[in-house]
Amino acid sequence: MLRVVVCVSGGGTNLQAILDKVANGTVKNTEIVRVISNNPNAYALERAAKAGVEGVCVSPKEFADREAFHEALLAAVLEAQPDLVVLAGFLVAIPPRMVAALPSRIINIHPSLIPSFCGVGYYGLHVHEAVLSRGVKLTGATVHFVDEDMDSGPILLQKAVAVEEGDTPEILQRRVMEQAEWELLPRAISLIAEGRVRVEGRKTYIMNSDEEMKG
Ligand code: GAR
């Protein structure tokens, strides 16, 4: 069983997609062992509770400084003994110490086709606002491994989504979620749970089941 900790900050629709696909068997050999939020009011924590998954809040407001917050966050993650940490709308920059503690074991979903519209300041609706201002015709979502820099780690999965005339940031955000994010993130977890993902430098390779059989 792949032990997965999911980190969230808000509504938790990506968390829900994961919970649903673990529950219905689409994502196999996976257990969501803990959900961690930096925001005590995140609806994602209610989604965790409804699914019978332990929810933990580690809010920066409870700590004297960033260092103490980072320490508590890492402790909450490691205590759950995860094989994989999934950032599902977690709007906190991951401290280098956590990346070092869990090398190639943290993945993130970002609502654009990296390396476009990513990095500092690009999160949530801001990404879709920037996409619409730039006038691109295609956007999408990316699942990538987390390294020391923001949105820069090895890319695992991407899916393009069309921008349509009349889109608002909210409409586009919803389309990207429905057509890309809710599909990509569970699939990424599934591939990792099946042992089919290899990371080499900045690249990832997905083995098909046959290759895996051959070793
Ligand atoms: C998602 O669109 C996710 O890709 C984005 O926040 C949203 C969270 O929604 N993440 C980022 O922008 C990270 N840079 P959710 O809470 O409903 O899953």
Side-chain angles (χ1 to χ4, degrees):
M1 277 287 189
L2 187 83
R3 293 175 62 83
V4 176
V5 165
V6 183
C7 297
V8 295
S9 296
T13 62
N14 277 287
L15 168 67
Q16 193 67 57
I18 298 165
L19 290 169
D20 291 348
K21 290 192 175 179
V22 170
N24 73 16
T26 309
V27 176
K28 297 184 184 68
N29 203 28
T30 296
E31 187 187 358
I32 310 302
V33 292
R34 178 176 280 191
V35 169
I36 299 175
S37 174
N38 61 315
N39 167 14
N41 303 315
Y43 183 65
L45 285 172
E46 284 186 40
R47 295 183 190 271
K50 278 185 195 147
V53 174
E54 180 195 27
V56 172
C57 177
V58 183
S59 164
K61 291 183 186 141
E62 289 164 21
F63 299 93
D65 53 30
R66 211 68 192 162
E67 177 70 18
F69 166 60
H70 284 164
E71 209 170 292
L73 182 64
L74 181 57
V77 169
L78 294 181
E79 193 187 48
Q81 299 185 297
D83 299 308
L84 181 70
V85 176
V86 176
L87 310 181
F90 189 54
L91 305 182
V92 170
I94 296 302
R97 213 187 316 156
M98 187 180 303
V99 178
L102 296 156
S104 297
R105 284 199 283 152
I106 310 175
I107 60 171
N108 177 48
I109 180 116
H110 182 77
S112 77
L113 293 174
I114 289 176
S116 289
F117 307 105
C118 65
V120 177
Y122 287 97
Y123 60 90
L125 267 185
H126 298 299
V127 175
H128 307 290
E129 282 161 7
V131 162
L132 291 176
S133 321
R134 183 61 185 84
V136 297
K137 306 289 186 190
L138 277 179
T139 184
T142 302
V143 176
H144 65 93
F145 285 92
V146 173
D147 66 8
E148 297 73 22
D149 296 314
M150 195 167 284
D151 300 331
S152 80
I155 290 170
L156 177 54
L157 296 173
Q158 291 190 296
K159 189 175 177 196
V161 173
V163 178
E164 289 173 16
E165 227 171 277
D167 274 352
T168 62
E170 291 79 7
I171 290 171
L172 184 57
Q173 178 182 52
R174 183 79 191 179
R175 188 179 312 115
V176 169
M177 284 176 160
E178 282 177 357
Q179 294 185 8
E181 295 189 46
W182 300 341
E183 177 190 324
L184 290 190
L185 196 51
R187 191 178 343 138
I189 296 169
S190 191
L191 288 168
I192 292 168
E194 290 170 46
R196 291 173 54 193
V197 176
R198 192 157 52 87
V199 182
E200 267 179 40
R202 292 204 86 188
K203 293 192 184 173
T204 69
Y205 298 89
I206 298 172
M207 294 176 282
N208 62 36
S209 311
D210 294 349
E211 276 170 348
E212 196 192 3
M213 303 274 283
K214 281 184 232 149

